[in-house]
Amino acid sequence: MSDNTNTQTKQNGRVFSGAQPSGNMHLGNYLGAFRNWVKLQDTFECIYCVVDMHAITVWQDPETLRAQIREAAAAYIAAGVDPEKSILFNQSQVPGHAELAWIFNCVSRLGWLNRMTQFKDKAGKNREKASVGLYVYPNLMAADILLYQATHVPVGEDQKQHLELTRDIAQKFNNDFKTDLFPEVEPIIQGEGARVMSLRNGSAKMSKSDPSEYSRINLNDDADTIQQKIRKAKTDAELLPATADQLEGRPEAINLVGIYAALADMSRDAVCAEYEGKGFGDFKRGLTDLAVEKLAPITEEMARLQNDNAYIDSILKNGSERAQAIAEPIIAEIKKTVGFLT
Ligand code: AMP
Ligand code: TRP
């Protein structure tokens, strides 16, 4: 990258985003997040993090976690994140995340956390048994972003509420300490892929933790598996209409048309126009071909990278050092602002 590009990308602002290494990286992660991360690399200074400290808010077997941190890094790279252009690292290697999260635990309010829908979903009925970490998870997420004074955060739709909380925390800190240390964070929630639903239930989000393998397409699924999952995807008996608004009330059909549109970079209307009057047999064959064409290169690259732990570990170590170099003066300034001796 030339010095000119470097200066320009820095002026545009700093991007931060992350995903949890809790296994089963899926099509929703790709369409809602990774794909957009890749597009931002040429216009912003980008920091992409494997958020391992977030993952342990629910139980993780240590050996499995180690493998999944590497798998997540491999998925980012296979999707197109370039570890030279962007900083790619895992959260636990930069101590500032935990330090700032503690400070934010003291800025954020119980009332704010009580409104977080992801906690309610994840804790379920057994709230008393949920870890305290799961409850304060959004404060750690705010720390991830603000530790780098990041200005833009590309995520899927489900993270919108957490980003609103991040803005509230930044604002309260700035007000309380009469400072302008933290910028206003802009969410980037983009396009057809921002909310990919389960293949088994068009009203539930496609997620890593769904017990049904048939609910999601994983980024390491081979062509046969992708075909089977799409064939078994829930649909209805009606034909595809001429325009997308005529899909109303058919959540599974809306989801599959949305996935097609996102993968093909088309509008939902254009997809409907192409398949107007056809049934789901035809549509699913088209969708399978498209999904295999787009995902096969990612799957292959992930498999190749997963045979090379030493390479992945060196990328993460180098990324952590670069992230640490940005975080260090910022966390020092934060500590001074709070009144700690440094
Ligand atoms: P997670 O898997 O929860 O760590 O999420 C990592 C990134 O993928 C976040 O930006 C999420 O918003 C995004 N994401 C996760 N699931 C979906 C989905 N079903 N549709 C769109 N984006 C998603
Ligand atoms: N909470 C996000 C998720 O589950 C992951 C995440 C953690 C994140 N820290 C972040 C995303 C900072 C964007 C920025 O998807």
Side-chain angles (χ1 to χ4, degrees):
M1 204 192 284
S2 75
D3 279 352
N4 273 346
T5 330
N6 224 330
T7 317
Q8 186 56 46
T9 53
K10 279 186 184 153
Q11 275 168 3
N12 288 338
R14 186 176 282 152
V15 162
F16 184 98
S17 197
Q20 295 188 59
S22 30
N24 296 330
M25 287 294 171
H26 55 74
L27 184 65
N29 296 133
Y30 176 65
L31 294 176
F34 305 160
R35 200 169 67 137
N36 297 326
W37 298 1
V38 173
K39 291 182 191 154
L40 295 166
Q41 293 183 112
D42 293 321
T43 33
F44 289 92
E45 181 188 16
C46 295
I47 308 177
Y48 297 126
C49 182
V50 177
V51 292
D52 46 13
M53 289 161 61
H54 279 88
I56 64 163
T57 55
V58 298
W59 169 250
Q60 303 291 335
D61 169 71
E63 244 356 276
T64 313
L65 179 61
R66 247 186 292 282
Q68 286 175 353
I69 293 169
R70 295 184 175 121
E71 185 194 2
Y76 295 8
I77 299 171
V81 170
D82 177 342
E84 297 208 342
K85 273 191 207 156
S86 301
I87 296 179
L88 196 174
F89 77 110
N90 62 310
Q91 190 183 25
S92 60
Q93 291 205 62
V94 178
H97 292 259
E99 293 179 292
L100 186 55
W102 179 257
I103 294 171
F104 285 169
N105 283 344
C106 305
V107 173
S108 184
R109 306 287 95 181
L110 279 179
W112 298 355
L113 290 181
N114 284 339
R115 286 198 288 273
M116 295 295 115
T117 55
Q118 185 170 303
F119 174 76
K120 289 179 198 160
D121 291 346
K122 281 203 172 180
K125 288 191 203 83
N126 223 342
R127 215 184 129 116
E128 298 289 310
K129 291 245 168 76
S131 76
V132 177
L134 188 66
Y135 185 69
V136 293
Y137 170 122
N139 297 341
L140 176 59
M141 177 162 163
D144 298 339
I145 298 163
L146 295 169
L147 179 61
Y148 303 94
Q149 294 172 324
T151 50
H152 295 78
V153 181
V155 283
E157 177 83 37
D158 60 341
Q159 295 303 311
K160 208 169 154 188
Q161 195 185 34
H162 289 157
L163 289 178
E164 279 158 16
L165 182 89
T166 300
R167 290 163 68 106
D168 289 344
I169 291 175
Q171 207 176 52
K172 179 161 165 55
F173 184 100
N174 284 349
N175 280 340
D176 288 354
F177 295 101
K178 314 245 172 320
T179 172
D180 56 3
L181 248 174
F182 295 125
E184 205 164 287
V185 174
E186 286 296 330
I188 304 182
I189 300 171
Q190 247 172 4
E192 290 293 354
R195 192 166 168 78
V196 177
M197 310 308 278
S198 156
L199 298 181
R200 306 299 299 162
N201 174 359
S203 311
K205 192 179 74 165
M206 182 178 285
S207 104
K208 290 172 179 153
S209 56
D210 193 315
S212 167
E213 277 293 322
Y214 280 93
S215 69
R216 68 180 157 263
I217 294 176
N218 291 327
L219 293 183
N220 53 13
D221 283 344
D222 60 20
D224 282 349
T225 313
I226 292 176
Q227 189 210 358
Q228 271 183 40
K229 287 181 175 177
I230 293 179
R231 193 160 48 82
K232 291 207 174 177
K234 191 173 167 200
T235 44
D236 53 44
E238 288 173 56
L239 303 177
L240 280 135
T243 58
D245 56 3
Q246 294 170 279
L247 287 167
E248 214 190 304
R250 300 168 65 188
E252 284 79 19
I254 291 175
N255 187 37
L256 293 185
V257 169
I259 292 174
Y260 194 114
L263 283 170
D265 260 323
M266 285 163 76
S267 68
R268 288 177 196 223
D269 277 333
V271 176
C272 286
E274 197 169 314
Y275 282 91
E276 183 187 354
K278 297 213 167 108
F280 274 98
D282 283 334
F283 180 78
K284 283 179 168 183
R285 271 189 289 279
L287 180 59
T288 300
D289 290 345
L290 179 63
V292 169
E293 178 199 322
K294 298 284 179 185
L295 299 180
I298 299 176
T299 311
E300 278 164 30
E301 180 66 356
M302 260 180 90
R304 197 184 66 77
L305 290 168
Q306 282 184 275
N307 281 323
D308 199 349
N309 285 350
Y311 170 72
I312 296 285
D313 292 0
S314 73
I315 295 285
L316 292 174
K317 181 152 190 306
N318 173 269
S320 302
E321 286 163 5
R322 287 159 67 200
Q324 172 66 13
I326 299 175
E328 214 162 59
I330 300 175
I331 191 76
E333 186 67 26
I334 296 168
K335 286 181 180 172
K336 198 171 111 197
T337 303
V338 169
F340 295 160
L341 297 179
T342 51

